[in-house]
Amino acid sequence: MDKLHQALRRHFGYSSFKKGQETIMKSVLEGRDTVAMLPTGGGKSLCYQLPGFLTDGTVLIVSPLLSLMEDQVQQLKMRGEKRTAAYNSVLTYQERDYILKQLHRLKFLYISPEALQSEQIIKRLQTIKVSLFVVDEAHCISQWGHDFRPDYSKLGEIKALLGNPPTLALTATATEATLKDISQMLGLAEASYFIYSVDRPNIALHIENLRDTAAKTERLIELVRKLQGPGLVYCPTRKWTEELAERLTEETRLRTGFYHGGMESGDRMLIQQQFIRNQLDAVCCTNAFGMGVDKPDVRYVIHFNLPQTAEAYMQEIGRAGRDGQQSISILLKAPGDEGIQEQLIQTEALSQHDIDFLYEKLADVKDERALRDILQQSGLSETQARHFVHLYLKVHHLGDDGRELIYREMDSRKHLKLKKMAGFASITESEGCFRRGLLAYFNEELKPRKNSGAACCTYCGLDLDAYETKGDRPFMNELTAWEEELDAIFAAGRDRLC
């Protein structure tokens, strides 16, 4: 047994690697910059955690979601690795200060791209050895990605300030253009690429066309009542998550929660933990839910509306079947669905009048945080504010020319989103194999399916009965009082700093 397999068994109790993991780790351990794409559920976190145990110094992991960071930290703690922490907005000033003072003792530090902009943090990181710089969900760094985060675009500069440590960029869904953008933005001129299929053969892909939204709602109720759970229902808006969760609770008598970005962080953490602990049969959620949920036995993912992009769709259905068991993705469609997503995209974009107004309002403000606060007070969402400030700081010195550049950039991004949305809609409308069309979008060909028992998609003879509950539903754990749940969650957070 070689050193890598011995470490795998010793630290994680596994006897073998998933596809791609060993090759990626060997590249990392050889000190090479590495860009890797593994399907959702493919074990990306192990690709930096195991090398971290085999190298000196601190592994710095840039992660986009609080829930994702907290989940990874808790898992490492449960495996006995106490030298790990997440630096985020939930911590008190005293807790953040404690982490900074203990940096030299940490093996793994998770941090958001926004927190990493702090000059104080960068100066402290410059005093320690960063053995590996990890960018998780690396598609966020790219303007072509489906979840562009402006602060990700600064990671190349920060990496240079830290002495250009070996870098590992990880994603589950990226087109060729996105992968090129990731490498360019991070300054990975000689990176090794390990690109594996986005396909999840154990997830059957089903599409249903219904006459209207009311019919979709009735069909959703029927499906949740019949399907073997637990499951996720992705909704286009925050309002829909709450309304559908209420309908499902009333009409199926199953325990259903809702989750969206407008909830308090404690409430979001509560729903997430209840779902992970088998205290909820289903969660109605926006795309804010998923990345931090390490739950292997999700049996179905239902989309109540057309997702905006093929990348987003593949990310979201990838929450199902992480244990390798047969699971199903169901997309409910009705006339007008594209209009809902188009309206969301148009609403997110700013008009030229909006940009003129905001440009004048920010004229005498220099501090980045103050800029964001002003924009959010003016009615912009956090995402809109971050994107506007990202552009404004690059071009405001150009005066009116800078204003015009912002307008062109935002208009271009809007049209890119509309184009991606139309492209995914076209894939769902094809009468051929749905899986084949999805893979073609990622420049992949559908390979012969070795497991004859695994269903493909609606157009390849999918039988929904195979995914329905047979006999009694699986036992769900008791739903404890929310005060007890939150206390347990935050107690775990406090233990993290001990």
Side-chain angles (χ1 to χ4, degrees):
M1 185 181 294
D2 62 29
K3 182 179 179 181
L4 205 53
H5 279 82
Q6 288 176 352
L8 178 68
R9 185 180 292 276
R10 180 170 69 255
H11 292 288
F12 294 91
Y14 302 145
S15 58
S16 62
F17 292 103
K18 290 184 178 181
K19 184 177 181 179
Q21 287 180 323
E22 185 175 4
T23 307
I24 294 166
M25 288 182 208
K26 286 181 177 178
S27 175
V28 169
L29 288 169
E30 289 170 2
R32 297 204 302 263
D33 289 335
T34 304
V35 178
M37 186 169 83
L38 285 172
T40 305
K44 292 186 292 296
S45 60
L46 191 71
C47 293
Y48 60 80
Q49 289 176 352
L50 189 56
F53 286 118
L54 298 175
T55 55
D56 295 328
T58 300
V59 178
L60 181 65
I61 307 105
V62 183
S63 183
L65 284 180
L66 168 63
S67 57
L68 188 61
M69 289 189 274
E70 293 294 332
D71 181 65
Q72 295 292 336
V73 168
Q74 286 188 33
Q75 286 190 46
L76 284 167
K77 290 283 189 181
M78 289 172 63
R79 294 187 183 280
E81 180 49 72
K82 305 299 183 185
R83 299 169 299 167
T84 183
Y87 191 96
N88 54 53
S89 58
V90 170
L91 303 179
T92 64
Y93 169 80
Q94 290 78 11
E95 289 171 333
R96 291 197 297 270
D97 185 58
Y98 179 80
I99 289 176
L100 291 179
K101 289 178 179 176
Q102 299 297 316
L103 273 186
H104 62 289
R105 296 183 178 180
L106 293 179
K107 172 56 67 176
F108 301 98
L109 176 64
Y110 290 82
I111 190 167
S112 70
E114 292 80 16
L116 197 52
Q117 310 305 315
S118 164
E119 186 176 342
Q120 178 191 20
I121 292 173
I122 292 173
K123 285 183 177 179
R124 288 289 295 118
L125 287 170
Q126 287 174 326
T127 67
I128 67 170
K129 178 182 178 181
V130 177
S131 59
L132 182 62
F133 187 82
V134 180
V135 182
D136 201 7
E137 306 298 337
H139 56 268
C140 297
I141 204 172
S142 170
Q143 62 176 325
W144 307 106
H146 60 286
D147 189 22
F148 175 61
R149 296 269 291 261
D151 287 294
Y152 261 73
S153 65
K154 304 173 185 177
L155 295 182
E157 301 170 17
I158 292 172
K159 181 174 75 78
L161 291 173
L162 299 180
N164 285 310
T167 299
L168 172 61
L170 292 163
T171 184
T173 51
T175 61
E176 185 176 347
T178 300
L179 290 169
K180 287 181 179 178
D181 219 20
I182 289 169
S183 297
Q184 182 179 352
M185 298 291 281
L186 287 174
L188 309 180
E190 300 180 1
S192 297
Y193 289 81
F194 301 96
I195 310 302
Y196 294 89
S197 175
V198 299
D199 191 20
R200 292 284 303 282
N202 66 310
I203 303 177
L205 308 177
H206 181 58
I207 300 176
E208 288 194 24
N209 291 286
L210 298 149
R211 67 178 183 275
D212 54 27
T213 301
K216 283 203 299 184
T217 303
E218 293 305 316
R219 180 57 173 152
L220 173 67
I221 292 168
E222 181 183 12
L223 287 168
V224 171
R225 184 184 289 123
K226 288 183 177 180
L227 290 173
Q228 179 183 350
L232 294 171
V233 179
Y234 278 99
C235 309
T237 66
R238 296 172 178 179
K239 182 180 179 182
W240 272 112
T241 67
E242 298 183 19
E243 292 183 355
L244 289 176
E246 184 177 0
R247 284 289 302 275
L248 289 171
T249 299
E250 290 176 353
E251 302 199 31
T252 68
R253 300 301 178 186
L254 296 175
R255 289 185 290 192
T256 308
F258 63 86
Y259 183 108
H260 57 68
M263 299 165 62
E264 294 293 330
S265 60
D267 294 333
R268 294 199 303 271
M269 291 176 69
L270 174 62
I271 292 296
Q272 177 178 299
Q273 292 300 315
Q274 287 177 337
F275 187 62
I276 289 173
R277 297 175 186 180
N278 288 328
Q279 296 175 343
L280 292 173
D281 296 282
V283 174
C284 296
C285 55
T286 62
N287 58 10
F289 188 84
M291 277 195 266
V293 180
D294 185 21
K295 184 172 176 61
D297 62 342
V298 176
R299 294 276 71 91
Y300 68 83
V301 171
I302 299 175
H303 280 90
F304 189 73
N305 199 274
L306 192 74
Q308 281 191 8
T309 66
E311 294 99 323
Y313 174 77
M314 294 300 287
Q315 281 272 3
E316 289 158 11
I317 69 170
R319 316 300 174 210
R322 291 190 174 198
D323 54 7
Q325 300 301 308
Q326 295 302 304
S327 305
I328 189 165
S329 156
I330 299 175
L331 172 58
L332 302 180
K333 292 182 63 183
D337 280 1
E338 289 182 60
I340 294 175
Q341 288 293 5
E342 183 176 345
Q343 183 178 4
L344 290 172
I345 293 171
Q346 295 283 5
T347 301
E348 182 184 306
L350 298 176
S351 68
Q352 189 160 13
H353 178 269
D354 293 331
I355 292 170
D356 289 342
F357 171 76
L358 294 171
Y359 207 83
E360 295 296 337
K361 194 163 187 174
L362 301 179
D364 298 320
V365 184
K366 305 300 180 185
D367 179 71
E368 185 170 349
R369 183 172 294 277
L371 289 169
R372 290 179 182 174
D373 289 344
I374 290 172
L375 291 173
Q376 288 185 256
Q377 290 167 9
S378 299
L380 271 65
S381 68
E382 183 178 358
T383 301
Q384 287 176 312
R386 289 189 185 281
H387 191 205
F388 191 94
V389 169
H390 168 69
L391 297 174
Y392 178 80
L393 290 176
K394 288 202 301 186
V395 303
H396 75 281
H397 63 283
L398 300 174
D400 288 341
D401 289 340
R403 184 190 324 220
E404 182 64 24
L405 286 171
I406 290 178
Y407 177 69
R408 289 181 187 173
E409 171 67 20
M410 288 200 156
D411 191 57
S412 173
R413 181 158 177 77
K414 178 184 72 175
H415 283 94
L416 174 63
K417 284 190 170 188
L418 291 170
K419 182 180 179 180
K420 280 179 168 280
M421 182 200 71
F424 179 59
S426 177
I427 296 172
T428 67
E429 290 162 6
S430 171
E431 294 186 359
C433 173
F434 181 35
R435 191 182 301 270
R436 186 184 302 278
L438 279 172
L439 294 180
Y441 177 84
F442 293 97
N443 296 319
E444 289 189 42
E445 292 184 2
L446 180 63
K447 298 178 180 178
R449 298 170 69 79
K450 296 178 181 179
N451 182 1
S452 59
C456 180
C457 70
T458 306
Y459 302 101
C460 296
L462 175 65
D463 181 8
L464 271 181
D465 290 346
Y467 302 91
E468 294 181 359
T469 300
K470 307 297 189 292
D472 294 333
R473 282 189 170 274
F475 174 77
M476 297 297 289
N477 293 328
E478 182 179 354
L479 191 64
T480 53
W482 65 266
E483 294 97 334
E484 297 175 21
E485 290 287 342
L486 284 178
D487 186 62
I489 294 169
F490 288 115
R494 289 191 294 271
D495 291 343
R496 186 183 62 237
L497 297 170
C498 296

